[in-house]
Amino acid sequence: MSDREMMDAKNGISSRKSYGFRDPVVRNVVDKFVERSDIGYAKYGSTLDDERRLKMKGLQKYLNDVQEELMDAILYIQAARDELQDLSEESLIEKFKDDRYEETF
């Protein structure tokens, strides 16, 4: 029995709705959401719905979490841009080296 099936049994879920996807990109994103939910449940032992219904976390904490996640996202975007810049510069250097090598023949 998978972790998800054990979680379902624990929470009284006897069946899951199955979805067909026209778009593999959408399917991939949904798969990632499910995986992330499983990881969160394994780590914290509760779902976001549990947190909300049981008042484990209030609105201010949710807003703080959103703000922190968005700040992290900005940092990841900048790191990716820097990486892209480095790759672009490396590519130009390699092209320059290749062009100089060809000129010698």
Side-chain angles (χ1 to χ4, degrees):
M1 187 179 276
S2 71
D3 289 343
R4 177 157 287 282
E5 290 168 328
M6 288 188 287
M7 250 189 318
D8 287 351
K10 178 181 173 186
N11 292 316
I13 298 170
S14 59
S15 68
R16 289 201 165 268
K17 188 172 183 177
S18 178
Y19 295 94
F21 294 98
R22 291 184 288 278
D23 189 335
V25 173
V26 174
R27 184 193 67 242
N28 191 21
V29 170
V30 169
D31 288 346
K32 288 178 190 264
F33 271 117
V34 171
E35 182 180 323
R36 185 147 174 82
S37 176
D38 290 345
I39 290 168
Y41 189 83
K43 184 174 182 178
Y44 299 108
S46 62
T47 65
L48 285 172
D49 187 59
D50 293 337
E51 287 180 351
R52 187 189 57 77
R53 281 184 304 98
L54 301 173
K55 306 293 185 203
M56 298 164 71
K57 191 185 280 190
L59 182 58
Q60 286 299 325
K61 179 64 174 133
Y62 283 122
L63 291 171
N64 188 61
D65 288 349
V66 169
Q67 184 179 39
E68 289 175 359
E69 294 294 338
L70 292 173
M71 291 166 66
D72 288 346
I74 296 295
L75 296 175
Y76 295 138
I77 289 169
Q78 186 60 51
R81 291 180 123 178
D82 292 348
E83 181 68 14
L84 187 59
Q85 181 66 36
D86 290 349
L87 290 171
S88 180
E89 289 171 2
E90 289 169 12
S91 178
L92 286 173
I93 290 168
E94 287 303 314
K95 183 177 179 347
F96 178 74
K97 286 180 183 176
D98 290 345
D99 287 349
R100 286 187 60 197
Y101 177 77
E102 289 174 6
E103 288 176 4
T104 60
F105 290 103

